Amino acid sequence: MATKKIIAICQSGGEFETENDGSLSYRGGDAHAIDIDDQMKFSDFKMEVAEMFNCSFGAMSIKYFLPGNRKTLITVSNDKDLERMIKFHGDSITADVYIVMEENGAADVSNMSDSRSSRTTLSEAVPPLELPLDVVDDTTQPNIPLGAPLDIDGTNHIDAHFNLPPEVLSVRPLSVVPYEKHAKAAEQWQDTITGVGQRFSSVHEFRETLRKYAIAHQFAFKYKKNDSHRVTVKCKAEGCPWRIHASRLSATQLSICIKTMNPTHTCGGSAVTVGHQSWVAGIIKEKLKIFPDYKPKDIVNDIKQEYGIQLNYCQAWRGKEIAKEQLQGSYKDAYSQLPFLCDKIMETNPGSLATFTTKEDSSFQRLFIAFHASLSGFVQGCRPLLFLDSIPLKSKYQGILLTATAADGNDSVFPVAFAFVDAETNDNWHWFLSQLKSALSTSCPLTFVADRQKGLRESISEIFKDSYHGYCLHYLTEQLIRDLKGQFSRDVKGIMIEDLYHAAFAPRPEEFHKITEGIKSLSLEAYNWIMQSEPQNWANSLFQGARYNHMKSNFGELFYSWASDADELPIIQMVDVIRGEIMELIYFRRTDSDQWLTRLTPSMEEKLEKESLKVSALQVQPTTGSKFEVQGEFTEVVDMDGWDCSCKGWQLTGLPCCHAIAVINCIGRSPYDYCSRYFSTESYRLTYAESVKPIPDTDWAMQNDYSEAAMTVTPPTRRPPGRPTTKKVGSQEAMKRQLQCSKCKGLGHNKATCKELL
């Protein structure tokens, strides 16, 4: 396979600037060229860059733009990321790479000073403050401009714009730390106010300029008049004559002009306060683009260092929330764009299904999306096997992500459909499956691996008739632990769970019954529970469908990582992140498969090879017809016409077992002729043959008043208070240790309360 080579143009020491269209440009700094290829290790590349620019290896991050997209920077942090960067630029000779210094801010896009002092902890910077964090809830606050006026004195101007509790109002002013020498970043604002006759394009621009001027000159002010056409401000210090008044030039113009100004200060500018959080948002917004994980405590430290202003944690957090909303859009507005999003998905990706429903009050209820590339890939190349699971979201309104995934020919997860719903209910699962049924154009009976609770058992059998429902073993063991809670020690429960897994994977009924009899010897109650849990829906030896040894529904763990990266975004952005991930996954897997030279996918080739290595110890007894006897440790019967072996390995996996391979070799055929077609490289390529097409920016809908003609969608009911629940991937078999007496070894008491000693 040919090695891909490009020249990385590494740039450092410059600054990112945002253009009018939202794209980023890089100005200034130094540049050096490095030859790289897809065999280079990330650590070697990063070390070479660090030596070239004489910078710290651990304090730098490497970023680049996707071709044709200069709005989002992609971080390179491992070998796979570097390989992807090279693939993205495969048609180019060069690739622009940007070196961002995370600690000292060498590439700070906020035009802050390049220097940073060593960071201090929040406790050193400001006393801890406990405040309710729901003050940013746009369901309870009026929708006002971010640059709306804020009265520093706490008069009724605040009540006109924010419905905040008194304990929050008392901490809103931003304290300026008196320095002997002004912070370098604030010096540039000293001449932003020049005097009478100076014009501004709007009241908002005048207010923002005034705040910067006050910071640079270190004084506090308060509004005397403050509305959409005039602003009168005076120095907050008692007796100080400084004053300024600006108003519109005429009733028909929006521009503002300074009419009167007394520039004299007699207060000395000490013990001052200024600001509000929209100013903080404006300062950190550009940096937040580059460092999405910019922490409030670091915002506190950076603004103190650069501007001489002491924030508390709440102010920094609120400023970050405002900046995030300016960058990502409003949570509330995102729901109103759902009609446009659904229409555009189906317009740009014909054959896709995107639909939503609302409640009677027009509040959001659920959104279903299945791209044509996913639906076609599942029908054309995947086994008729679907995994259903749910993922709790941590977004402002919480909610649940429902997912349907499949297994491709290489046994990797393939996303088929997903939905955002307000809660995981029987009705929402029924709706999700109904949409999935209408999206899939297949008459082949499907096998589902899913929980049996939440109405799934009834909905699957009702909507997908003649389908098979394999109960998820993970949820089954969780329910067993709950139902037997407090009756057995941790060790005994562990043995029962282990035996339950052995019983589930047992290929033949006699093995299943032998294992369950062992459970019966431990506990008759546990045995009865297992036999009443419908083992025909979860035990391999009794299950009538084909699930290829996949026993758990959390096969789609890929969605967990995608959701964790996006679940704090507005719903429109969450959809776009998942769409982008699916688009990238399909592209890379299709590109990788183009290099394969084998008849089966790599993982299936490996499994077939392992079975082939066992053949040398087996002996095939000649016979007439299609049935053969194979002798080894045990004697098995292989039926070539029925693709069946008495060991059940062939039927359960779709690949010939060692006994079948021994017979195949004996009759002079190839094992590849007896492998499931879903494991072939050809089927794998069919799975990834279609692509997910780009979707226009939803801002188009707002600019063209699309939402006015569409159905109104409002945010769902406010999320309940408290920390969102977290759903962990993998086994959750951890149990509380049960109290056990050290004298009589009984459960539920200790030696101090043991009745046998009385």
Side-chain angles (χ1 to χ4, degrees), residues 117 176-183 218 301 303-310:
S117 64
V176 178
V177 179
Y179 282 104
E180 294 181 3
K181 183 177 181 180
H182 288 321
Q218 299 224 328
N301 293 334
I303 287 185
K304 178 180 178 181
Q305 174 69 22
E306 299 298 335
Y307 300 96
I309 299 174
Q310 179 66 69

Side-chain angles (χ1 to χ4, degrees), residues 666-712:
C666 182
I667 63 177
R669 299 290 299 275
S670 169
Y672 292 111
D673 297 335
Y674 294 90
C675 295
S676 170
R677 72 172 183 87
Y678 300 113
F679 300 149
S680 67
T681 298
E682 180 184 358
S683 290
Y684 185 91
R685 288 171 179 161
L686 286 174
T687 302
Y688 296 99
E690 300 287 341
S691 299
V692 176
K693 306 298 190 301
I695 300 172
D697 196 326
T698 51
D699 289 342
W700 183 93
M702 307 303 290
Q703 295 167 3
N704 293 273
D705 297 327
Y706 180 93
S707 58
E708 291 184 5
M711 178 180 178
T712 301

Side-chain angles (χ1 to χ4, degrees), residues 512-562:
F512 170 82
H513 291 299
K514 181 179 178 181
I515 295 169
T516 53
E517 285 297 319
I519 296 176
K520 186 176 183 180
S521 66
L522 287 174
S523 167
L524 179 60
E525 183 179 358
Y527 170 81
N528 290 335
W529 187 96
I530 290 172
M531 300 311 293
Q532 293 170 9
S533 64
E534 300 170 296
Q536 69 273 16
N537 289 95
W538 55 264
N540 268 341
S541 60
L542 306 176
F543 189 63
Q544 297 299 308
R547 58 181 178 184
Y548 299 87
N549 253 350
H550 286 288
M551 310 297 284
K552 296 183 180 181
S553 63
N554 61 354
F555 182 73
E557 291 181 2
L558 201 61
F559 266 108
Y560 284 88
S561 62
W562 294 348

Side-chain angles (χ1 to χ4, degrees), residues 139-257:
T139 64
T140 58
Q141 297 176 5
N143 186 16
I144 63 170
L146 291 173
L150 176 69
D151 179 41
I152 305 301
D153 277 342
T155 62
N156 58 5
H157 290 295
I158 288 180
D159 294 333
H161 301 292
F162 289 99
N163 187 20
L164 300 177
E167 63 269 24
V168 178
L169 298 179
S170 65
V171 300
R172 287 185 65 85
L174 314 180
S175 301
V176 178
V177 179
Y179 282 104
E180 294 181 3
K181 183 177 181 180
H182 288 321
K184 183 186 290 187
E187 291 178 0
Q188 61 183 307
W189 298 336
Q190 288 186 346
D191 298 323
T192 51
I193 300 288
T194 58
V196 175
Q198 184 179 1
R199 297 187 181 186
F200 304 87
S201 61
S202 64
V203 172
H204 173 72
E205 182 187 354
F206 173 67
R207 294 190 191 107
E208 290 301 311
T209 304
L210 183 60
R211 291 189 186 103
K212 295 175 181 178
Y213 179 82
I215 290 171
H217 291 271
Q218 299 224 328
F219 72 93
F221 61 85
K222 59 183 177 181
Y223 292 102
K224 303 305 291 182
K225 290 187 175 72
N226 190 15
D227 51 43
S228 61
H229 62 278
R230 61 180 179 175
V231 178
T232 302
V233 175
K234 62 171 291 186
C235 181
K236 189 176 181 182
E238 190 69 31
C240 182
W242 187 92
R243 183 183 179 93
I244 191 170
H245 172 76
S247 61
R248 286 184 186 176
L249 290 171
S250 68
T252 60
Q253 292 183 331
L254 296 177
S255 58
I256 295 291
C257 179

